[in-house]
Amino acid sequence: MQWSHNMRFFQSYAMKKQLWIIVVIIIAAILPTIIGAFWINVAVEILIMGLFAVSFNMIFGYMGQLSFGHAAFYGVGAYTVGLLMAKLSIPFSLSLIAAMLSAGAFALIIGYFCIRLTGIYFAILTLSFGQLIYYIVFEWYSFTGGDNGLQGIAAPHLLSSVTAYYYFTLVIVIAALIVMWYISRSPFGYTMRAIRDNANRTRFLGINVKRYMLINFVIAGAFAGLAGGLWGPFNQSISPDLLNWTESGIPVFMTVIGGSASFLGPMVGSIIYTFLNAFVTGFTQYWPLIIGIVIMLIILFSPGGIQGLIDKWYKHSDSSDENIEL
Amino acid sequence: MNMTDILKVEHLCKSFGGIMATQDVSYSMKSGEFSAIVGPNGAGKTTFFHLISGYHRADSGSVWYKEKNITKWPPHKIARLGVTRCFQVSNNYPMLTTYENVRQAVLTQKKRTLNLFTPAKNLAVEETLNILDMVGISDNANTMAGNLSQGDKKILEIAMALGSKPELLYLDEPTAGMSSDETYKTMELIKRLNEQMGVTILFTEHDMPVVFGYAHRLTVLHQGAIIADGIPEEVRSDKMVQKVYLGEEE
């Protein structure tokens, strides 16, 4: 009785959320006709950083480990696209696929070591590897351009207007989110939640915990690489800062703001963070002060982030992860 | 019933910082047995479970499961053979529902956990609901496991073990902290697993009436070593056992 009653209740709740998502997609589709070029640029940034943050949350929210070196994969993706397009004139679409593959390969190597640790040790080791790659990119002038970065990464002619690039990014990001959404609801996704909640128990059920963590780390790295790959032609240049630890902090902030317990939480966080950034830096240089206050307020008054607040409005009893995640 | 040894342990030793937690333990079980290991606190029961389930690695000696030497195997490989373990302190996924907890065990047993694209909610529905029904926690299917009562958490332990379709099941104090009514129900359930599904069961227990009421065979551990092993009546009358253990209680 209880069971079927609860199921009906959750279905209607999930449907309401699906309705909201459709509304948001429609708004996203007509957005460039409403807003000016500056804000279209901001919207592209929201999408790219949101994808980066959602990929980060595959490790943070679903696997329960804080990666503080996720920008390494974002940066590797950006440099893969930058180098292939600027030096070898490889088409953008192929370069994007290569960005995912190379970021995934780096994640495989770095992850092999990091998944042996958990908690603060995992965070520190991911940070160390991230900085290691940052310094290699920073110093290797002949290959990466060193601290000068790479310039002249032009999007293909078809995507040269900011509106066209916005729609292209929108399609890629939505496709990537759908893939990650499916993964999060799959048995693999639930195995990650199981590892997050109780790795030892999962081991005794018959799961090779380290192997699963590594696979998840590689998937998350590959999607961060895709986000990085979208950044280069958008910004038309890339610099080693894309791999620095400060860049790794951004998806952490976005996830804290939006909420790690829901799939789209980090994307919500990206909307708030990136929009605020563009808005606030228009009239003051004290951006870190503003974002610091925002994060403090969220941690104090809504530890589940904005998405957690919305979920609280919708329902009052406890429920499953599955239903709060859209 | 096939009466070959399902589990065989030979001269197992393990020490922690100079304290011998397991001393030269040799033990074997036939398929279909329903046996108990008892002993005072600190006798080494849990360490013994840790050693035969792969959580700890033995200093010396060997562990065999159906003629496979599993002494140095990690827990997940041993689990895949059909050896399942229930924990003394309930050990579940607090942020997943009761239903999702059991489904995780079922999906792992069916080797579906590397599936990346089928929604988990469409898989193993019937098996999971059957198990919840069988152990009697269907009403709590949508409750977060972290919010269950202590008794229900212990029942969830057994439900998760069932999801793994074990051939050999280790239960570490399955009724600890339960009311006498819950204890009775739980032990009857375990008995059904043994008699109707042929699961070989090895459990530890502090509650002596439970041990004598259910176990077909009793092994007494004291300071990491076996001091008695046999049918419960025999062990009950053993002078050494009365001195170190049962004497304290009666």
Side-chain angles (χ1 to χ4, degrees), chain A:
Chain A
M1 279 298 157
Q2 176 103 33
W3 165 258
S4 64
H5 168 76
N6 281 350
M7 285 311 282
R8 258 202 309 277
F9 174 72
F10 290 136
Q11 271 163 9
S12 68
Y13 173 62
M15 262 166 62
K16 269 185 208 157
K17 289 202 111 177
Q18 276 165 11
L19 212 66
W20 272 109
I21 287 171
I22 291 167
V23 170
V24 169
I25 290 175
I26 291 169
I27 292 173
I30 58 170
L31 202 60
T33 61
I34 306 168
I35 58 178
F38 173 78
W39 292 106
I40 299 175
N41 274 299
V42 173
V44 174
E45 201 174 328
I46 285 173
L47 289 170
I48 293 174
M49 296 310 284
L51 174 59
F52 181 29
V54 171
S55 79
F56 159 80
N57 201 40
M58 286 186 81
I59 298 171
F60 182 67
Y62 290 95
M63 198 169 88
Q65 299 299 328
L66 172 60
S67 167
F68 220 88
H70 208 49
F73 313 120
Y74 180 72
V76 164
Y79 270 88
T80 303
V81 166
L83 289 167
L84 288 178
M85 286 177 73
K87 296 203 171 176
L88 297 174
S89 306
I90 306 278
F92 184 35
S93 53
L94 288 180
S95 301
L96 272 181
I97 294 168
M100 286 188 83
L101 293 176
S102 64
F106 271 80
L108 183 66
I109 297 163
I110 293 174
Y112 177 82
F113 297 99
C114 294
I115 50 98
R116 267 140 234 284
L117 305 171
T118 54
I120 185 71
Y121 305 102
F122 180 91
I124 295 293
L125 197 60
T126 47
L127 173 66
S128 314
F129 272 112
Q131 289 308 96
L132 180 75
I133 296 177
Y134 164 71
Y135 281 110
I136 291 172
V137 171
F138 191 89
E139 296 290 341
W140 197 354
Y141 284 88
S142 60
F143 185 56
T144 63
D147 61 346
N148 298 322
L150 293 173
Q151 280 78 34
I153 306 159
H157 185 67
L158 197 66
L159 302 176
S160 58
S161 81
V162 64
T163 306
Y165 202 83
Y166 168 80
Y167 282 117
F168 177 75
T169 307
L170 185 67
V171 169
I172 297 282
V173 169
I174 288 176
L177 290 181
I178 289 172
V179 172
M180 282 191 276
W181 164 241
Y182 265 91
I183 293 173
S184 81
R185 292 175 0 135
S186 72
F188 178 82
Y190 273 88
T191 303
M192 293 325 295
R193 289 178 187 75
I195 290 170
R196 171 197 71 195
D197 273 14
N198 194 336
N200 224 359
R201 177 68 200 214
T202 311
R203 230 167 248 134
F204 280 100
L205 288 182
I207 298 277
N208 186 344
V209 167
K210 280 179 191 151
R211 185 159 148 247
Y212 278 70
M213 284 173 77
L214 183 58
I215 293 170
N216 190 56
F217 198 83
V218 170
I219 295 171
F223 280 107
L226 177 63
L230 288 168
W231 182 262
F234 167 62
N235 199 46
Q236 295 181 0
S237 71
I238 49 178
S239 76
D241 281 344
L242 293 178
L243 297 95
N244 204 358
W245 67 272
T246 48
E247 192 78 10
S248 288
I250 294 174
V252 182
F253 292 149
M254 289 175 171
T255 305
V256 168
I257 293 169
S260 65
S262 64
F263 179 76
L264 285 179
M267 183 52 92
V268 172
S270 173
I271 294 171
I272 295 167
Y273 181 99
T274 314
F275 174 79
L276 264 184
N277 181 293
F279 181 68
V280 169
T281 47
F283 59 83
T284 172
Q285 53 180 329
Y286 297 117
W287 160 245
L289 179 73
I290 304 288
I291 193 66
I293 290 170
V294 169
I295 288 169
M296 262 162 58
L297 289 175
I298 284 183
I299 289 170
L300 286 174
F301 297 108
S302 176
I306 299 298
Q307 189 74 42
L309 216 59
I310 295 172
D311 283 325
K312 231 185 253 173
W313 280 336
Y314 270 102
K315 69 183 155 164
H316 314 285
S317 63
D318 62 8
S319 85
S320 124
D321 240 19
E322 186 158 275
N323 301 295
I324 58 168
E325 255 174 271
L326 262 162

Side-chain angles (χ1 to χ4, degrees), chain B residues 14-60:
Chain B
K14 178 77 183 176
S15 65
F16 297 100
I19 295 165
M20 290 293 282
T22 304
Q23 288 192 54
D24 194 30
V25 168
S26 293
Y27 183 83
S28 65
M29 283 184 91
K30 303 254 181 257
S31 186
E33 259 187 50
F34 190 175
S35 305
I37 291 188
V38 297
N41 281 326
K45 303 184 294 284
T46 300
T47 303
F48 181 65
F49 272 11
H50 280 333
L51 288 170
I52 58 180
S53 63
Y55 187 68
H56 286 326
R57 205 165 272 188
D59 296 338
S60 62

